[in-house]
């Protein structure tokens, strides 16, 4: 029954966010694995729409934050405001105090703002002045960045990237999907009825997260995850090519993320056990933003996905 609810949610989201099934599924996996997602892709590919439609389906508030170079940490976290009638300062929460937050073009904000996001994402709390305030129990950040425009941007440091559970690269929809988008937009403009939305409570989400953690993972699969992670740190054991491409391996956060995401993928696929294919499919969004490529790999324009494919090919799954 619990899995059916999320299957219906997935179907509804795909009907409203056409041509981006990977984005929809990874959003749900991030929700189930209690993590955050970084999305790269050109403008206009329904990144904002995906989070907005998801927020309409779950119990929680949504807020979009447009990141700009002149943004201040207080614009994000909130600040103490003086109340003349009481002669005291009271804290006015900022837009980060919402269940679903879209951080649009996060790499356009300076380091101070990025640091404020880091605390929120890693510890689910905000420090303002001398006080620390907890964020909602249900808290998910989807950040976007445009991979084409680099002028006036502040690249996210490795510590910030490591806080994201997943990184997803979004591409243009197919010709058939583009036609469906056209018809959906026309129908919305004409005020035609939408399919009935699926409503999911916070308790249901927390129950589903527990079910994901209880999804069976054999000891061989656990060792497979560890071997993949260790291969990023000791690439010389596998091939000279990998050793030349990788400057630094991934952190233990990647191990935890790959474990939870593989379980979430299996559970969302209707299974109560994890397979090597679940690990391999989730290795791409879990690892691609965590790998630190060498100068040689950058000079040769080697993509992180190429390195991950090589890792999967060379590391035995059993």
């Amino acid at each position: 029954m619990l899995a059916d609810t999320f299957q219906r949610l997935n179907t509804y989201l795909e009907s409203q966010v056409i041509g981006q099934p990977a984005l929809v599924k990874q959003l749900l996996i991030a929700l189930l694995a209690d993590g955050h997602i970084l999305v790269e892709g050109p403008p206009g590919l329904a990144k904002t729409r995906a989070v907005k439609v998801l927020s309409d389906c779950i119990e929680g508030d949504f807020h979009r934050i447009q990141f700009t170079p002149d943004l201040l940490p207080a614009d994000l976290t909130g600040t103490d405001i003086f109340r003349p009638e009481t002669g005291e300062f009271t804290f006015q929460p900022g837009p980060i105090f919402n269940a679903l937050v879209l951080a649009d073009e996060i790499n356009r904000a300076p380091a101070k703002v990025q640091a404020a996001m880091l605390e929120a994402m890693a510890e689910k709390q905000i420090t303002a002045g001398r006080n620390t305030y907890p964020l909602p129990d249900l808290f998910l950040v989807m950040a976007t960045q445009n991979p084409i425009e680099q002028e006036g941007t502040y690249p996210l440091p490795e510590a910030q990237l490591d806080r994201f559970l997943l990184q997803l690269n979004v591409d243009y929809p197919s010709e058939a999907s583009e036609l469906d988008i056209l018809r959906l937009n026309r129908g919305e403009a004409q005020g035609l009825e939408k399919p009935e939305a699926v409503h999911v409570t916070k308790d249901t989400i927390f129950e589903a997260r527990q079910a994901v953690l209880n999804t069976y993972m054999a000891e061989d699969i656990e060792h497979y995850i560890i071997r993949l992670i260790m291969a990023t740190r000791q690439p010389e054991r596998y091939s000279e090519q990998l050793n030349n491409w990788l400057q630094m391996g991934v952190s233990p956060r990647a191990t935890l993320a790959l474990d939870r995401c593989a379980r979430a993928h299996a559970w969302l696929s209707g299974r109560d056990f994890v397979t090597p294919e679940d690990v391999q499919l989730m290795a791409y969004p879990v690892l691609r933003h965590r790998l630190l490529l060498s100068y040689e790999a950058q000079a040769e324009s080697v993509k992180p996905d190429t390195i991950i494919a090589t890792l999967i090919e060379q590391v035995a799954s059993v």
Side-chain angles (χ1 to χ4, degrees), residues 27 31 35-39 47-48 51-52 54-55 58 60-67 75-76 94-104 106 117 120-121 135-136 138-144 164:
L27 258 180
L31 183 66
H36 310 289
I37 184 168
L38 176 65
V39 182
K47 299 185 289 290
T48 303
V51 183
K52 184 67 173 68
L54 178 61
S55 70
I58 68 174
D61 297 323
F62 164 77
H63 197 97
R64 173 182 173 173
I65 307 170
Q66 187 65 48
F67 281 67
D75 298 330
L76 183 74
I96 198 72
F97 285 85
N98 285 275
L100 285 176
V101 175
L102 175 64
D104 207 11
I106 189 172
M117 282 294 294
M121 292 165 58
L135 292 171
L138 180 62
F139 178 64
L140 185 148
V141 173
M142 188 178 100
T144 69
F164 285 100

mmCIF file of all heavy atoms in Angstrom, residues 27 31 35-39 47-48 51-52 54-55 58 60-67 75-76 94-104 106 117 120-121 135-136 138-144 164:
data_model
loop_
_atom_site.group_PDB
_atom_site.id
_atom_site.type_symbol
_atom_site.label_atom_id
_atom_site.label_comp_id
_atom_site.label_asym_id
_atom_site.label_seq_id
_atom_site.Cartn_x
_atom_site.Cartn_y
_atom_site.Cartn_z
ATOM 1 N N LEU A 27 14.117 12.911 -7.875
ATOM 2 C CA LEU A 27 13.508 13.746 -6.841
ATOM 3 C C LEU A 27 12.873 12.878 -5.766
ATOM 4 O O LEU A 27 13.024 13.134 -4.565
ATOM 5 C CB LEU A 27 12.446 14.659 -7.457
ATOM 6 C CG LEU A 27 12.806 16.129 -7.700
ATOM 7 C CD1 LEU A 27 11.631 16.860 -8.322
ATOM 8 C CD2 LEU A 27 13.230 16.818 -6.417
ATOM 9 N N LEU A 31 13.896 12.362 -1.842
ATOM 10 C CA LEU A 31 12.892 12.502 -0.784
ATOM 11 C C LEU A 31 12.894 11.281 0.126
ATOM 12 O O LEU A 31 12.847 11.399 1.357
ATOM 13 C CB LEU A 31 11.507 12.701 -1.412
ATOM 14 C CG LEU A 31 10.327 12.947 -0.462
ATOM 15 C CD1 LEU A 31 10.477 14.281 0.257
ATOM 16 C CD2 LEU A 31 9.014 12.908 -1.225
ATOM 17 N N GLY A 35 17.743 13.337 1.392
ATOM 18 C CA GLY A 35 18.917 14.064 0.926
ATOM 19 C C GLY A 35 18.532 15.199 0.002
ATOM 20 O O GLY A 35 17.344 15.460 -0.218
ATOM 21 N N HIS A 36 19.539 15.858 -0.556
ATOM 22 C CA HIS A 36 19.328 17.009 -1.424
ATOM 23 C C HIS A 36 19.848 16.699 -2.822
ATOM 24 O O HIS A 36 20.700 15.830 -3.006
ATOM 25 C CB HIS A 36 20.036 18.233 -0.852
ATOM 26 C CG HIS A 36 19.737 18.473 0.590
ATOM 27 N ND1 HIS A 36 18.513 18.916 1.054
ATOM 28 C CD2 HIS A 36 20.496 18.283 1.713
ATOM 29 C CE1 HIS A 36 18.535 19.014 2.364
ATOM 30 N NE2 HIS A 36 19.727 18.633 2.795
ATOM 31 N N ILE A 37 19.344 17.443 -3.800
ATOM 32 C CA ILE A 37 19.669 17.130 -5.192
ATOM 33 C C ILE A 37 20.157 18.392 -5.900
ATOM 34 O O ILE A 37 19.607 19.478 -5.705
ATOM 35 C CB ILE A 37 18.437 16.507 -5.890
ATOM 36 C CG1 ILE A 37 18.759 16.066 -7.311
ATOM 37 C CG2 ILE A 37 17.249 17.451 -5.894
ATOM 38 C CD1 ILE A 37 17.674 15.204 -7.927
ATOM 39 N N LEU A 38 21.209 18.225 -6.700
ATOM 40 C CA LEU A 38 21.768 19.303 -7.512
ATOM 41 C C LEU A 38 21.465 18.980 -8.970
ATOM 42 O O LEU A 38 21.791 17.891 -9.451
ATOM 43 C CB LEU A 38 23.277 19.418 -7.292
ATOM 44 C CG LEU A 38 24.029 20.449 -8.136
ATOM 45 C CD1 LEU A 38 23.577 21.865 -7.805
ATOM 46 C CD2 LEU A 38 25.539 20.314 -7.932
ATOM 47 N N VAL A 39 20.838 19.923 -9.661
ATOM 48 C CA VAL A 39 20.416 19.694 -11.047
ATOM 49 C C VAL A 39 21.146 20.658 -11.966
ATOM 50 O O VAL A 39 21.143 21.869 -11.728
ATOM 51 C CB VAL A 39 18.888 19.873 -11.203
ATOM 52 C CG1 VAL A 39 18.461 19.582 -12.632
ATOM 53 C CG2 VAL A 39 18.144 18.962 -10.241
ATOM 54 N N LYS A 47 12.696 22.375 -14.295
ATOM 55 C CA LYS A 47 13.298 22.115 -12.992
ATOM 56 C C LYS A 47 12.446 22.738 -11.887
ATOM 57 O O LYS A 47 12.142 22.092 -10.887
ATOM 58 C CB LYS A 47 14.729 22.666 -12.961
ATOM 59 C CG LYS A 47 15.659 22.028 -13.985
ATOM 60 C CD LYS A 47 17.083 22.516 -13.852
ATOM 61 C CE LYS A 47 17.286 23.941 -14.284
ATOM 62 N NZ LYS A 47 17.170 24.134 -15.741
ATOM 63 N N THR A 48 12.055 24.000 -12.081
ATOM 64 C CA THR A 48 11.200 24.671 -11.094
ATOM 65 C C THR A 48 9.842 23.996 -11.017
ATOM 66 O O THR A 48 9.302 23.770 -9.926
ATOM 67 C CB THR A 48 11.020 26.156 -11.468
ATOM 68 O OG1 THR A 48 12.301 26.770 -11.559
ATOM 69 C CG2 THR A 48 10.186 26.876 -10.427
ATOM 70 N N VAL A 51 9.741 20.693 -8.838
ATOM 71 C CA VAL A 51 9.690 20.876 -7.382
ATOM 72 C C VAL A 51 8.344 21.443 -6.948
ATOM 73 O O VAL A 51 7.792 21.057 -5.926
ATOM 74 C CB VAL A 51 10.839 21.804 -6.915
ATOM 75 C CG1 VAL A 51 10.839 21.938 -5.409
ATOM 76 C CG2 VAL A 51 12.160 21.263 -7.368
ATOM 77 N N LYS A 52 7.804 22.365 -7.760
ATOM 78 C CA LYS A 52 6.519 22.972 -7.417
ATOM 79 C C LYS A 52 5.398 21.935 -7.436
ATOM 80 O O LYS A 52 4.556 21.886 -6.525
ATOM 81 C CB LYS A 52 6.203 24.107 -8.406
ATOM 82 C CG LYS A 52 4.923 24.872 -8.081
ATOM 83 C CD LYS A 52 5.066 25.653 -6.781
ATOM 84 C CE LYS A 52 3.875 26.560 -6.519
ATOM 85 N NZ LYS A 52 2.640 25.805 -6.221
ATOM 86 N N LEU A 54 5.755 18.693 -7.048
ATOM 87 C CA LEU A 54 5.983 17.796 -5.917
ATOM 88 C C LEU A 54 5.490 18.419 -4.618
ATOM 89 O O LEU A 54 4.862 17.750 -3.788
ATOM 90 C CB LEU A 54 7.470 17.451 -5.806
ATOM 91 C CG LEU A 54 7.869 16.551 -4.636
ATOM 92 C CD1 LEU A 54 7.183 15.191 -4.719
ATOM 93 C CD2 LEU A 54 9.385 16.375 -4.571
ATOM 94 N N SER A 55 5.733 19.719 -4.449
ATOM 95 C CA SER A 55 5.305 20.399 -3.216
ATOM 96 C C SER A 55 3.779 20.429 -3.106
ATOM 97 O O SER A 55 3.242 20.424 -1.998
ATOM 98 C CB SER A 55 5.865 21.820 -3.167
ATOM 99 O OG SER A 55 5.241 22.653 -4.130
ATOM 100 N N ILE A 58 2.750 16.947 -1.508
ATOM 101 C CA ILE A 58 3.142 16.508 -0.175
ATOM 102 C C ILE A 58 2.817 17.580 0.855
ATOM 103 O O ILE A 58 2.634 18.749 0.527
ATOM 104 C CB ILE A 58 4.651 16.143 -0.111
ATOM 105 C CG1 ILE A 58 5.520 17.389 -0.285
ATOM 106 C CG2 ILE A 58 5.006 15.103 -1.141
ATOM 107 C CD1 ILE A 58 6.990 17.115 -0.092
ATOM 108 N N GLY A 60 3.725 20.085 3.106
ATOM 109 C CA GLY A 60 4.877 20.936 3.376
ATOM 110 C C GLY A 60 4.873 22.152 2.476
ATOM 111 O O GLY A 60 4.283 22.136 1.391
ATOM 112 N N ASP A 61 5.529 23.222 2.927
ATOM 113 C CA ASP A 61 5.562 24.472 2.178
ATOM 114 C C ASP A 61 6.704 24.462 1.168
ATOM 115 O O ASP A 61 7.724 23.798 1.361
ATOM 116 C CB ASP A 61 5.735 25.660 3.132
ATOM 117 C CG ASP A 61 4.558 25.781 4.100
ATOM 118 O OD1 ASP A 61 3.435 25.510 3.660
ATOM 119 O OD2 ASP A 61 4.790 26.131 5.272
ATOM 120 N N PHE A 62 6.528 25.237 0.110
ATOM 121 C CA PHE A 62 7.528 25.361 -0.941
ATOM 122 C C PHE A 62 7.960 26.818 -1.071
ATOM 123 O O PHE A 62 7.128 27.727 -0.960
ATOM 124 C CB PHE A 62 6.945 24.874 -2.273
ATOM 125 C CG PHE A 62 7.745 25.298 -3.474
ATOM 126 C CD1 PHE A 62 8.928 24.660 -3.810
ATOM 127 C CD2 PHE A 62 7.318 26.346 -4.281
ATOM 128 C CE1 PHE A 62 9.673 25.058 -4.921
ATOM 129 C CE2 PHE A 62 8.052 26.748 -5.398
ATOM 130 C CZ PHE A 62 9.230 26.090 -5.712
ATOM 131 N N HIS A 63 9.246 27.026 -1.303
ATOM 132 C CA HIS A 63 9.731 28.389 -1.556
ATOM 133 C C HIS A 63 10.884 28.338 -2.551
ATOM 134 O O HIS A 63 11.770 27.486 -2.453
ATOM 135 C CB HIS A 63 10.206 29.057 -0.267
ATOM 136 C CG HIS A 63 10.315 30.547 -0.382
ATOM 137 N ND1 HIS A 63 9.327 31.405 0.034
ATOM 138 C CD2 HIS A 63 11.297 31.340 -0.899
ATOM 139 C CE1 HIS A 63 9.685 32.656 -0.211
ATOM 140 N NE2 HIS A 63 10.880 32.643 -0.774
ATOM 141 N N ARG A 64 10.837 29.265 -3.499
ATOM 142 C CA ARG A 64 11.922 29.392 -4.473
ATOM 143 C C ARG A 64 12.801 30.569 -4.088
ATOM 144 O O ARG A 64 12.302 31.658 -3.803
ATOM 145 C CB ARG A 64 11.340 29.613 -5.869
ATOM 146 C CG ARG A 64 12.410 29.930 -6.905
ATOM 147 C CD ARG A 64 11.788 30.195 -8.266
ATOM 148 N NE ARG A 64 12.798 30.664 -9.218
ATOM 149 C CZ ARG A 64 12.576 30.847 -10.501
ATOM 150 N NH1 ARG A 64 11.381 30.615 -10.993
ATOM 151 N NH2 ARG A 64 13.531 31.279 -11.285
ATOM 152 N N ILE A 65 14.113 30.346 -4.088
ATOM 153 C CA ILE A 65 15.077 31.401 -3.786
ATOM 154 C C ILE A 65 15.928 31.621 -5.025
ATOM 155 O O ILE A 65 16.599 30.690 -5.497
ATOM 156 C CB ILE A 65 15.979 31.028 -2.593
ATOM 157 C CG1 ILE A 65 15.145 30.625 -1.373
ATOM 158 C CG2 ILE A 65 16.906 32.177 -2.241
ATOM 159 C CD1 ILE A 65 15.960 30.014 -0.253
ATOM 160 N N GLN A 66 15.894 32.825 -5.550
ATOM 161 C CA GLN A 66 16.716 33.157 -6.716
ATOM 162 C C GLN A 66 18.067 33.663 -6.231
ATOM 163 O O GLN A 66 18.165 34.719 -5.615
ATOM 164 C CB GLN A 66 16.030 34.228 -7.562
ATOM 165 C CG GLN A 66 16.734 34.509 -8.878
ATOM 166 C CD GLN A 66 16.722 33.313 -9.821
ATOM 167 O OE1 GLN A 66 15.685 32.706 -10.032
ATOM 168 N NE2 GLN A 66 17.889 32.965 -10.355
ATOM 169 N N PHE A 67 19.103 32.898 -6.474
ATOM 170 C CA PHE A 67 20.442 33.258 -6.001
ATOM 171 C C PHE A 67 21.077 34.266 -6.954
ATOM 172 O O PHE A 67 21.096 34.057 -8.171
ATOM 173 C CB PHE A 67 21.314 32.010 -5.881
ATOM 174 C CG PHE A 67 21.053 31.219 -4.632
ATOM 175 C CD1 PHE A 67 19.844 30.567 -4.438
ATOM 176 C CD2 PHE A 67 22.001 31.145 -3.634
ATOM 177 C CE1 PHE A 67 19.595 29.859 -3.295
ATOM 178 C CE2 PHE A 67 21.768 30.425 -2.472
ATOM 179 C CZ PHE A 67 20.554 29.789 -2.297
ATOM 180 N N ASP A 75 19.327 37.141 3.957
ATOM 181 C CA ASP A 75 18.223 37.025 3.003
ATOM 182 C C ASP A 75 17.741 35.595 2.883
ATOM 183 O O ASP A 75 16.603 35.339 2.490
ATOM 184 C CB ASP A 75 18.665 37.514 1.615
ATOM 185 C CG ASP A 75 19.051 38.986 1.619
ATOM 186 O OD1 ASP A 75 18.482 39.738 2.435
ATOM 187 O OD2 ASP A 75 19.909 39.375 0.817
ATOM 188 N N LEU A 76 18.608 34.673 3.246
ATOM 189 C CA LEU A 76 18.307 33.251 3.144
ATOM 190 C C LEU A 76 17.830 32.686 4.477
ATOM 191 O O LEU A 76 16.807 31.988 4.554
ATOM 192 C CB LEU A 76 19.575 32.523 2.684
ATOM 193 C CG LEU A 76 19.512 31.032 2.429
ATOM 194 C CD1 LEU A 76 18.765 30.762 1.132
ATOM 195 C CD2 LEU A 76 20.933 30.477 2.325
ATOM 196 N N GLY A 94 13.786 33.147 7.584
ATOM 197 C CA GLY A 94 13.947 33.404 6.159
ATOM 198 C C GLY A 94 13.312 32.308 5.323
ATOM 199 O O GLY A 94 12.715 31.355 5.847
ATOM 200 N N PRO A 95 13.456 32.374 4.012
ATOM 201 C CA PRO A 95 12.816 31.409 3.116
ATOM 202 C C PRO A 95 13.358 29.987 3.220
ATOM 203 O O PRO A 95 12.730 29.054 2.718
ATOM 204 C CB PRO A 95 13.080 31.995 1.725
ATOM 205 C CG PRO A 95 14.251 32.892 1.894
ATOM 206 C CD PRO A 95 14.152 33.445 3.277
ATOM 207 N N ILE A 96 14.513 29.818 3.886
ATOM 208 C CA ILE A 96 15.062 28.471 4.035
ATOM 209 C C ILE A 96 14.203 27.613 4.966
ATOM 210 O O ILE A 96 14.281 26.385 4.957
ATOM 211 C CB ILE A 96 16.516 28.544 4.550
ATOM 212 C CG1 ILE A 96 17.266 27.235 4.305
ATOM 213 C CG2 ILE A 96 16.558 28.906 6.028
ATOM 214 C CD1 ILE A 96 17.597 26.982 2.880
ATOM 215 N N PHE A 97 13.337 28.259 5.763
ATOM 216 C CA PHE A 97 12.501 27.533 6.723
ATOM 217 C C PHE A 97 11.232 27.002 6.048
ATOM 218 O O PHE A 97 10.114 27.281 6.463
ATOM 219 C CB PHE A 97 12.134 28.428 7.912
ATOM 220 C CG PHE A 97 13.267 28.634 8.882
ATOM 221 C CD1 PHE A 97 14.210 29.628 8.654
ATOM 222 C CD2 PHE A 97 13.409 27.842 10.001
ATOM 223 C CE1 PHE A 97 15.263 29.832 9.529
ATOM 224 C CE2 PHE A 97 14.462 28.032 10.894
ATOM 225 C CZ PHE A 97 15.393 29.035 10.651
ATOM 226 N N ASN A 98 11.417 26.232 4.985
ATOM 227 C CA ASN A 98 10.320 25.582 4.280
ATOM 228 C C ASN A 98 10.692 24.137 4.027
ATOM 229 O O ASN A 98 11.878 23.774 4.041
ATOM 230 C CB ASN A 98 10.036 26.294 2.957
ATOM 231 C CG ASN A 98 9.316 27.623 3.142
ATOM 232 O OD1 ASN A 98 8.104 27.678 3.246
ATOM 233 N ND2 ASN A 98 10.078 28.715 3.190
ATOM 234 N N ALA A 99 9.690 23.303 3.789
ATOM 235 C CA ALA A 99 9.958 21.877 3.585
ATOM 236 C C ALA A 99 10.696 21.637 2.270
ATOM 237 O O ALA A 99 11.674 20.892 2.215
ATOM 238 C CB ALA A 99 8.642 21.092 3.614
ATOM 239 N N LEU A 100 10.223 22.272 1.201
ATOM 240 C CA LEU A 100 10.857 22.135 -0.111
ATOM 241 C C LEU A 100 11.410 23.491 -0.536
ATOM 242 O O LEU A 100 10.670 24.466 -0.598
ATOM 243 C CB LEU A 100 9.850 21.638 -1.150
ATOM 244 C CG LEU A 100 9.465 20.163 -1.089
ATOM 245 C CD1 LEU A 100 8.404 19.855 -2.119
ATOM 246 C CD2 LEU A 100 10.664 19.271 -1.308
ATOM 247 N N VAL A 101 12.692 23.533 -0.821
ATOM 248 C CA VAL A 101 13.349 24.791 -1.201
ATOM 249 C C VAL A 101 14.018 24.599 -2.552
ATOM 250 O O VAL A 101 14.798 23.652 -2.744
ATOM 251 C CB VAL A 101 14.392 25.216 -0.152
ATOM 252 C CG1 VAL A 101 15.141 26.450 -0.621
ATOM 253 C CG2 VAL A 101 13.721 25.468 1.201
ATOM 254 N N LEU A 102 13.714 25.472 -3.492
ATOM 255 C CA LEU A 102 14.400 25.486 -4.777
ATOM 256 C C LEU A 102 15.443 26.597 -4.747
ATOM 257 O O LEU A 102 15.099 27.783 -4.677
ATOM 258 C CB LEU A 102 13.416 25.728 -5.922
ATOM 259 C CG LEU A 102 14.056 25.873 -7.305
ATOM 260 C CD1 LEU A 102 14.745 24.586 -7.730
ATOM 261 C CD2 LEU A 102 13.035 26.294 -8.345
ATOM 262 N N ALA A 103 16.713 26.217 -4.759
ATOM 263 C CA ALA A 103 17.815 27.181 -4.787
ATOM 264 C C ALA A 103 18.219 27.377 -6.239
ATOM 265 O O ALA A 103 19.043 26.619 -6.775
ATOM 266 C CB ALA A 103 18.983 26.673 -3.947
ATOM 267 N N ASP A 104 17.619 28.366 -6.883
ATOM 268 C CA ASP A 104 17.803 28.547 -8.321
ATOM 269 C C ASP A 104 19.122 29.249 -8.616
ATOM 270 O O ASP A 104 19.413 30.314 -8.063
ATOM 271 C CB ASP A 104 16.630 29.366 -8.880
ATOM 272 C CG ASP A 104 16.360 29.073 -10.337
ATOM 273 O OD1 ASP A 104 16.938 28.094 -10.855
ATOM 274 O OD2 ASP A 104 15.587 29.804 -10.963
ATOM 275 N N ILE A 106 22.311 28.338 -7.849
ATOM 276 C CA ILE A 106 23.010 28.446 -6.564
ATOM 277 C C ILE A 106 24.445 28.930 -6.736
ATOM 278 O O ILE A 106 25.007 29.570 -5.837
ATOM 279 C CB ILE A 106 22.971 27.089 -5.822
ATOM 280 C CG1 ILE A 106 23.489 27.255 -4.390
ATOM 281 C CG2 ILE A 106 23.731 26.017 -6.573
ATOM 282 C CD1 ILE A 106 23.305 26.017 -3.529
ATOM 283 N N MET A 117 24.012 27.879 3.345
ATOM 284 C CA MET A 117 23.309 26.719 2.788
ATOM 285 C C MET A 117 23.923 25.415 3.277
ATOM 286 O O MET A 117 23.223 24.440 3.530
ATOM 287 C CB MET A 117 23.361 26.772 1.263
ATOM 288 C CG MET A 117 22.391 27.722 0.615
ATOM 289 S SD MET A 117 20.663 27.219 0.859
ATOM 290 C CE MET A 117 20.632 25.710 -0.081
ATOM 291 N N ALA A 120 22.624 24.460 6.679
ATOM 292 C CA ALA A 120 21.228 24.033 6.583
ATOM 293 C C ALA A 120 21.120 22.625 6.020
ATOM 294 O O ALA A 120 20.363 21.792 6.527
ATOM 295 C CB ALA A 120 20.442 25.017 5.717
ATOM 296 N N MET A 121 21.886 22.336 4.979
ATOM 297 C CA MET A 121 21.801 21.043 4.315
ATOM 298 C C MET A 121 22.428 19.925 5.138
ATOM 299 O O MET A 121 21.923 18.801 5.161
ATOM 300 C CB MET A 121 22.468 21.126 2.944
ATOM 301 C CG MET A 121 21.720 21.998 1.953
ATOM 302 S SD MET A 121 22.727 22.435 0.525
ATOM 303 C CE MET A 121 23.148 20.825 -0.111
ATOM 304 N N LEU A 135 15.486 23.446 11.464
ATOM 305 C CA LEU A 135 14.679 23.495 10.256
ATOM 306 C C LEU A 135 13.582 22.436 10.332
ATOM 307 O O LEU A 135 13.609 21.569 11.204
ATOM 308 C CB LEU A 135 15.569 23.269 9.032
ATOM 309 C CG LEU A 135 16.563 24.390 8.731
ATOM 310 C CD1 LEU A 135 17.535 23.977 7.634
ATOM 311 C CD2 LEU A 135 15.842 25.663 8.340
ATOM 312 N N PRO A 136 12.592 22.467 9.442
ATOM 313 C CA PRO A 136 11.520 21.466 9.489
ATOM 314 C C PRO A 136 12.051 20.035 9.389
ATOM 315 O O PRO A 136 13.112 19.796 8.782
ATOM 316 C CB PRO A 136 10.666 21.815 8.258
ATOM 317 C CG PRO A 136 10.959 23.248 7.974
ATOM 318 C CD PRO A 136 12.380 23.470 8.380
ATOM 319 N N LEU A 138 10.854 17.649 7.696
ATOM 320 C CA LEU A 138 10.868 17.340 6.268
ATOM 321 C C LEU A 138 11.517 18.519 5.548
ATOM 322 O O LEU A 138 10.950 19.606 5.476
ATOM 323 C CB LEU A 138 9.435 17.119 5.757
ATOM 324 C CG LEU A 138 9.295 16.787 4.268
ATOM 325 C CD1 LEU A 138 10.007 15.479 3.940
ATOM 326 C CD2 LEU A 138 7.829 16.700 3.879
ATOM 327 N N PHE A 139 12.731 18.310 5.045
ATOM 328 C CA PHE A 139 13.497 19.408 4.460
ATOM 329 C C PHE A 139 14.289 18.888 3.270
ATOM 330 O O PHE A 139 15.126 17.985 3.414
ATOM 331 C CB PHE A 139 14.435 20.019 5.506
ATOM 332 C CG PHE A 139 15.305 21.133 4.977
ATOM 333 C CD1 PHE A 139 14.737 22.309 4.512
ATOM 334 C CD2 PHE A 139 16.686 21.001 4.931
ATOM 335 C CE1 PHE A 139 15.534 23.341 4.021
ATOM 336 C CE2 PHE A 139 17.489 22.021 4.452
ATOM 337 C CZ PHE A 139 16.906 23.208 3.992
ATOM 338 N N LEU A 140 13.995 19.420 2.084
ATOM 339 C CA LEU A 140 14.677 18.985 0.872
ATOM 340 C C LEU A 140 15.038 20.208 0.036
ATOM 341 O O LEU A 140 14.189 21.068 -0.210
ATOM 342 C CB LEU A 140 13.785 18.026 0.064
ATOM 343 C CG LEU A 140 14.400 17.389 -1.190
ATOM 344 C CD1 LEU A 140 13.826 15.991 -1.403
ATOM 345 C CD2 LEU A 140 14.146 18.223 -2.443
ATOM 346 N N VAL A 141 16.296 20.268 -0.368
ATOM 347 C CA VAL A 141 16.770 21.348 -1.225
ATOM 348 C C VAL A 141 17.045 20.789 -2.616
ATOM 349 O O VAL A 141 17.742 19.774 -2.760
ATOM 350 C CB VAL A 141 18.066 21.980 -0.673
ATOM 351 C CG1 VAL A 141 18.641 22.984 -1.672
ATOM 352 C CG2 VAL A 141 17.807 22.656 0.658
ATOM 353 N N MET A 142 16.462 21.430 -3.621
ATOM 354 C CA MET A 142 16.867 21.138 -4.991
ATOM 355 C C MET A 142 17.530 22.381 -5.531
ATOM 356 O O MET A 142 16.878 23.423 -5.679
ATOM 357 C CB MET A 142 15.699 20.738 -5.885
ATOM 358 C CG MET A 142 16.182 20.242 -7.249
ATOM 359 S SD MET A 142 14.880 19.691 -8.359
ATOM 360 C CE MET A 142 14.728 21.147 -9.394
ATOM 361 N N ALA A 143 18.818 22.296 -5.779
ATOM 362 C CA ALA A 143 19.571 23.437 -6.293
ATOM 363 C C ALA A 143 19.826 23.244 -7.777
ATOM 364 O O ALA A 143 20.011 22.122 -8.246
ATOM 365 C CB ALA A 143 20.901 23.565 -5.545
ATOM 366 N N THR A 144 19.814 24.345 -8.517
ATOM 367 C CA THR A 144 20.086 24.269 -9.948
ATOM 368 C C THR A 144 21.289 25.139 -10.283
ATOM 369 O O THR A 144 21.593 26.106 -9.586
ATOM 370 C CB THR A 144 18.881 24.758 -10.787
ATOM 371 O OG1 THR A 144 18.723 26.176 -10.610
ATOM 372 C CG2 THR A 144 17.608 24.058 -10.367
ATOM 373 N N PHE A 164 25.357 17.365 -1.275
ATOM 374 C CA PHE A 164 24.260 16.957 -2.143
ATOM 375 C C PHE A 164 24.257 15.440 -2.282
ATOM 376 O O PHE A 164 25.285 14.846 -2.610
ATOM 377 C CB PHE A 164 24.382 17.613 -3.520
ATOM 378 C CG PHE A 164 24.011 19.068 -3.528
ATOM 379 C CD1 PHE A 164 24.993 20.048 -3.506
ATOM 380 C CD2 PHE A 164 22.686 19.461 -3.544
ATOM 381 C CE1 PHE A 164 24.660 21.397 -3.509
ATOM 382 C CE2 PHE A 164 22.339 20.809 -3.531
ATOM 383 C CZ PHE A 164 23.326 21.773 -3.518
#
